[in-house]
Amino acid sequence: MDSESDKETSEGEGAAAAPVPGKARPFVRPHLVNLLILAFVTLALLAPGISLLPLTDRDEALYVQASHQMLETGNWVDIRFQEEPRYKKPVGIYWIQAATAELSGYAANAPLWVYRLPSLLGAVLTVLFTYGIGATLGTKRAGLFAGLLAASTMLLGFEARIAKTDAMLCATVLAAEFALARAYVDPARERSFPRNALFWTAMGIGILIKGPITVLVAGLTILAISAKERSTTLWQSLSPVKGIVWMLLLALPWLIAIGWISGGSFFTQAVGRDMLGKVASGQESHGAPPGMHLLVALGTFWPLSVLAPLAVVQAWKSRREPAIFFLIAWALPGWIVFEAVATKLPNYVLPFMPALAVLIALLLDRGTLGPTRRGWRVSVAFIAVGSLLVGFGLNIAFLIYQGYASWQGLVGAVVVACLGLMASRLLSSGRLRSGLAATIAASGGLMLLGYVILLPAARQLWLSDDLAEAVASVRHCEAPAISVVGYGEPSTVFRLGTTLLRTSAPVAAEAFRTNECAVAIVAEDARDEFMAALGEAERPAEPAATVSGRNLNGMKLRTMLLFSKP
């Protein structure tokens, strides 16, 4: 790959690692120890809770069930949720999840945590590529700071534990940006096969995971840099003709196949309704004005976000420096695009979080961001404030919905608050390494508190899991015909089986009547309609079980009645 200066700059130096002409050297070998450290720390931060957190609605449940059905049916081309086409996104993440389940040995019987492993892998790759960009634009120490900061953010911690597209999509964006950074710092702008292969492979995989997002972010970066340099040498160094051919070879076969199988409806739904629909209007109650991503990122990028205002001001002052401009070209154009899109979700701006991590790391490494900067002490104080508010806020929410306090949760909140206070004091006094270590520990503590202690114990929030347990206790055969009325969350399908009938009371009554072994799950407010449709001869005297609870999607309290036959 491209050449790199291995000489570290001292903490007070203001220049990023300059491009050094000469023989190209591989990136991995001189950085292997730091990469291994980061991989270990990232897994320690992000893996706990992956097998404890119940299935979330609705997106995760839809992805997991569709991947599960690929294994059940052997159809790896047409995406289905039960009998419904699932054409909002391309096939990439379904393939990765299903392949992971197959390789695990569980196949179609894989538990939920297996489907989440690709997201965890995507998060680890995101952190490693963040290190690579930081080390390429600055020093090894800057890369290490950047990777640790990225690994500790709340948003990446959430996406790593959820079986969706976003963590793996972010990894493809970071792979492309890493390749661009390596080409950017090469003064000769020579073509490098390994680097360019990484770039165009990331483009192709990104298209298969979430359409044009990876291409959009990388493309805007190239355009911004080329406009500033008034040159296309960066683009030419990527071997664009061969690269585009390779990208299309990766993406086109499935796109052609699904277009043929669906009669074109995949493109109508994925492009026309999902992508362009989100641009024009706020879909699924997620509309918001421009600026909302910036506001929400103050929370979702925590603890990284506490230093963001100071770093952005310094970046604007230093915007003509090559390393700083690369980060601006990466983050700013794409962020503006997503602010202009009508539909806004926090995960949309995840691919720009590592750019902020690298920016802060470069400034910390140079000494241009630290205790001598005006506003530093106020900024780092928000590490303590965030630790305190989120830790005890989670406990208050648990008390409200469960009706009792968790002593483990309260102890965890106290520990996290102490770590946050320690981090703020250490950073305020200028002890950078110790302060960052305490910051990462506070962030990891919050993740343990949420994903290991409180959320799995909040049984009132996981109605689908409770229903699955209740069905197992009342069924009279191995595979009863199960129908559900008044609760249509997709998590029920994964928990109760692909053949689950989500329907109306009359149809559920007919299924209950015509099957020798059946279970009907009926919302309390639909009981009378269900009983009337059953008729006197088939009417059970009382429900076999009653389950009450909520779902994270909407938080509406429901009471479900289970009727079992015979």
Side-chain angles (χ1 to χ4, degrees):
M1 299 182 79
D2 302 313
S3 61
E4 176 194 46
S5 174
D6 288 333
K7 184 179 179 181
E8 300 276 359
T9 59
S10 64
E11 185 173 343
E13 286 180 338
V20 178
K23 186 177 179 180
R25 298 175 60 188
F27 179 85
V28 173
R29 186 178 299 172
H31 299 270
L32 184 58
V33 172
N34 284 347
L35 291 170
L36 290 174
I37 291 171
L38 275 175
F40 176 79
V41 172
T42 303
L43 287 172
L45 285 171
L46 305 184
I50 196 172
S51 63
L52 298 174
L53 184 68
L55 182 63
T56 60
D57 281 307
R58 293 178 176 134
D59 285 351
E60 183 185 29
L62 290 166
Y63 281 113
V64 169
Q65 176 60 27
S67 300
H68 172 70
Q69 285 181 218
M70 282 187 172
L71 296 166
E72 285 186 322
T73 63
N75 185 344
W76 290 60
V77 178
D78 197 13
I79 309 165
R80 295 272 164 170
F81 178 82
Q82 293 190 300
E83 295 302 318
E84 302 169 9
R86 174 80 177 147
Y87 291 161
K88 287 191 173 184
K89 299 291 186 294
V91 77
I93 198 64
Y94 305 101
W95 277 354
I96 298 171
Q97 289 177 356
T100 302
E102 192 71 56
L103 292 171
S104 72
Y106 290 105
N109 297 316
L112 174 60
W113 65 266
V114 172
Y115 293 97
R116 288 172 168 169
L117 288 177
S119 292
L120 180 60
L121 174 61
V124 172
L125 290 174
T126 294
V127 170
L128 297 183
F129 282 122
T130 301
Y131 168 84
I133 296 169
T136 296
L137 298 178
T139 67
K140 290 180 181 179
R141 192 176 84 140
L144 197 58
F145 285 171
L148 292 171
L149 288 169
S152 65
T153 55
M154 293 294 103
L155 184 55
L156 190 64
F158 174 74
E159 295 297 343
R161 294 172 168 90
I162 299 296
K164 301 199 291 110
T165 58
D166 297 290
M168 190 58 76
L169 174 74
C170 190
T172 67
V173 173
L174 266 291
E177 294 292 339
F178 171 69
L180 284 177
R182 300 293 291 172
Y184 179 70
V185 301
D186 178 9
R189 295 282 166 89
E190 295 179 351
R191 294 183 176 184
S192 164
F193 176 77
R195 182 197 69 208
N196 294 348
L198 174 65
F199 179 83
W200 291 108
T201 300
M203 293 291 103
I205 295 174
I207 290 171
L208 287 174
I209 289 176
K210 209 168 184 177
I213 303 302
T214 304
V215 176
L216 173 69
V217 175
L220 289 174
T221 305
I222 294 170
L223 283 174
I225 292 171
S226 298
K228 178 181 180 294
E229 295 179 344
R230 297 183 180 181
S231 168
T232 61
T233 55
L234 179 62
W235 171 247
Q236 294 300 324
S237 71
L238 298 172
S239 305
V241 175
K242 294 178 181 178
I244 290 172
V245 170
W246 172 240
M247 177 184 72
L248 293 177
L249 283 174
L250 290 173
L252 273 184
W254 179 80
L255 292 171
I256 293 170
I258 195 63
W260 177 268
I261 290 171
S262 67
S265 64
F266 169 80
F267 299 104
T268 301
Q269 293 186 38
V271 179
R273 296 179 188 174
D274 188 62
M275 187 179 73
L276 296 181
K278 287 177 178 176
V279 171
S281 61
Q283 289 190 350
E284 300 171 358
S285 303
H286 296 308
M292 185 57 67
H293 278 310
L294 192 61
L295 181 63
V296 172
L298 293 175
T300 58
F301 285 8
W302 186 93
L304 180 67
S305 58
V306 302
L307 296 176
L310 294 178
V312 169
V313 170
Q314 183 61 38
W316 186 249
K317 293 178 181 178
S318 307
R319 62 188 180 276
R320 289 183 176 84
E321 293 182 24
I324 302 298
F325 184 79
F326 179 88
L327 298 173
I328 293 172
W330 169 6
L332 185 59
W335 195 294
I336 292 172
V337 168
F338 284 114
E339 289 286 10
V341 170
T343 301
K344 290 180 175 64
L345 286 169
N347 53 278
Y348 287 2
V349 294
L350 178 61
F352 308 120
M353 176 275 291
L356 184 60
V358 174
L359 172 63
I360 292 173
L362 289 176
L363 298 177
L364 290 173
D365 185 48
R366 298 174 180 183
T368 52
L369 187 62
T372 59
R373 280 292 305 276
R374 185 178 179 181
W376 171 264
R377 286 175 173 79
V378 173
S379 296
V380 298
F382 281 97
I383 298 174
V385 171
S387 300
L388 181 70
L389 291 179
V390 177
F392 284 98
L394 288 171
N395 277 276
I396 291 170
F398 185 90
L399 176 63
I400 291 172
Y401 288 110
Q402 288 298 113
Y404 64 91
S406 164
W407 70 265
Q408 299 100 322
L410 290 171
V411 171
V414 171
V415 171
V416 167
C418 291
L419 287 170
L421 179 61
M422 182 190 303
S424 292
R425 295 189 66 176
L426 288 169
L427 289 172
S428 180
S429 64
R431 285 177 282 181
L432 185 59
R433 292 184 181 180
S434 299
L436 287 177
T439 299
I440 293 161
S443 175
L446 277 180
M447 293 181 194
L448 287 173
L449 179 63
Y451 299 119
V452 176
I453 297 174
L454 292 179
L455 280 172
R459 299 307 307 171
Q460 278 287 307
L461 303 182
W462 311 110
L463 181 55
S464 295
D465 282 33
D466 291 344
L467 289 175
E469 292 174 6
V471 168
S473 67
V474 304
R475 69 186 184 187
H476 296 288
C477 62
E478 184 64 27
I482 308 173
S483 54
V484 61
V485 178
Y487 179 65
E489 296 297 341
S491 56
T492 57
V493 181
F494 184 74
R495 290 304 187 197
L496 296 172
T498 305
T499 58
L500 173 70
L501 183 63
R502 299 179 298 157
T503 187
S504 62
V507 175
E510 178 66 19
F512 191 82
R513 184 169 48 245
T514 55
N515 285 278
E516 292 185 2
C517 182
V519 174
I521 306 169
V522 182
E524 190 174 41
D525 56 8
R527 175 176 181 168
D528 292 342
E529 185 182 6
F530 176 75
M531 288 297 195
L534 269 181
E536 293 291 338
E538 296 286 344
R539 186 175 299 173
E542 292 293 336
T546 300
V547 178
S548 294
R550 305 174 189 271
N551 187 281
L552 274 179
N553 187 57
M555 300 300 290
K556 180 182 177 181
L557 180 63
R558 294 178 172 89
T559 298
M560 308 298 294
L561 311 176
L562 278 72
F563 300 92
S564 183
K565 176 185 177 182

